[in-house]
Amino acid sequence: MKKAFATAILFLVAGQLFAQKVKSISEKMNTSKEHYTFQLSDKVSRQKVSFKNRYGIILSGDLYLPKNAENQKLAALVISGAFGAVKQQSSGLYANQMAERGFIALAFDPSYTGESSGEPRNVASPDINTEDFSAAVDFLGLQKNVDRNKIGIIGICGFGGFALNATAIDKRVKAVATTSLYDMTRVMSKGYNDSVTLEQRTKTLEGLGEQRWKDAENGKPAYGTRNLPETLNGDEPQFVKEYFDYYRTPRGFHPNSVNSNGAWLITNAISFMNMPILSYVKEISPRPMLLIVGENAHSRYFSEDIFKVANEPKELLIIPDAVHVDLYDKVDVIPFDKLEQFFNENLK
């Protein structure tokens, strides 16, 4: 059972789990690209922005500003995630909440996804997605109303891992927080709880190599089957049911989201299986780290393991009874007061 679960999660993040054709979306879904899955606070303004990373990819973002800021230079936050999500989902909700608490907050679509540029579409990279955070720091540091010495990062789910990776190397970042952290390189290369065997890994890599031949022959990369199915059969792993409850229902659906409505490239996992992030997580110190995770999250071990190896100052906050996706959008569960306190204390 454990091996089956490990294989399932590996294929989910690689975009190959369900052999289902894309069907029409339920009328209950909001299929407008301008749709946001949360209500903008009346204390906050939002404006579309764009900026370029050092690979030349133009990233699309939403900048959230406290309306009462006037001409003050404020502390600022870069926010992205979850893995396969867009800025109209979790990261925008977080930015909205943190702007309401007095921070300038930038939520952005990662390279190759959402409204950001990059071809082919729906591909991820441990290097480029780490760079995306630093490019966002570049952008914020040029804004007249941002104090560039007071910039922090919040990473959600798989972008929690990229957030830590970016913070380790980018000393301009003064504090970092993650929620429902995933180390995407670890889970893609080793499976859930590191239970993928060498034989299974070798077989996967052989299959990816064969797919590269096919892509080369066709002159373009092929996409996997859709990340989440149209409907559930009922026998899926619990984590799949939880993802479905967010991405495939009116609660969190967005047409630009790979997890809501699309698929990763079949070869998406290749670089993740050979380039581990977080090798230098100890070098985040002496800057502070806050790891937030649900008590019942299937991903809990990622945060606990990073907490063990990271140097002080660090804090692990476990939210009672919460599962992984509860920290995507449940404002009564996500500890925004704690996040406000953490960044107020550490962005000085």
Side-chain angles (χ1 to χ4, degrees), residues 13 29 33 58 61 70 81 92 101 104 108 132 134 149 164 167 175 207 233 257 259 284 301 316:
V13 295
M29 309 287 192
K33 292 183 179 181
I58 299 173
E70 297 178 350
R101 289 164 166 77
I104 292 175
F108 68 88
D132 288 343
S134 287
N149 295 311
L164 295 178
T167 303
N233 296 322
S257 168
N259 289 340
I284 292 175
Y301 73 99
L316 176 65

Side-chain angles (χ1 to χ4, degrees), residues 67 77 82 96 98 109 119 150 182 184 201 211 215 223 251 270 274 277 281 305 312-313 316 324 335 341 347:
K67 285 185 176 178
L77 301 171
N96 182 58
M98 297 309 290
D109 290 339
E119 293 290 341
K150 298 180 179 180
Y182 251 82
M184 298 307 302
R201 172 181 165 83
Q211 184 61 47
D215 290 350
Y223 290 88
R251 170 185 168 191
I270 289 176
N274 199 40
I277 57 175
V281 71
D305 287 354
E312 297 285 355
L316 176 65
H324 181 87
Q341 177 189 14
L347 298 183

Side-chain angles (χ1 to χ4, degrees), residues 10-17 223-227 263-266:
L10 173 62
F11 286 141
L12 176 64
V13 295
Q16 302 172 61
L17 179 56
Y223 290 88
T225 51
R226 202 174 69 191
N227 289 7
W264 296 106
L265 294 184
I266 294 176

Side-chain angles (χ1 to χ4, degrees), residues 11-15 18 25 29 81-86 89-90 113-114 122 156-159 184 225-230 240 243-249 252-264 268 324-325 328:
F11 286 141
L12 176 64
V13 295
F18 294 100
I25 304 303
M29 309 287 192
F83 189 78
V86 290
Q89 295 173 310
S90 301
T113 63
N122 296 358
I156 306 161
C157 182
F159 276 79
M184 298 307 302
T225 51
R226 202 174 69 191
N227 289 7
L228 288 167
E230 184 75 17
V240 174
Y243 283 139
F244 186 95
D245 186 54
Y246 178 75
Y247 287 109
R248 289 294 302 161
T249 70
F253 176 87
H254 195 279
N256 281 354
S257 168
V258 181
N259 289 340
S260 285
N261 207 32
W264 296 106
N268 190 50
H324 181 87
V325 299
Y328 283 9

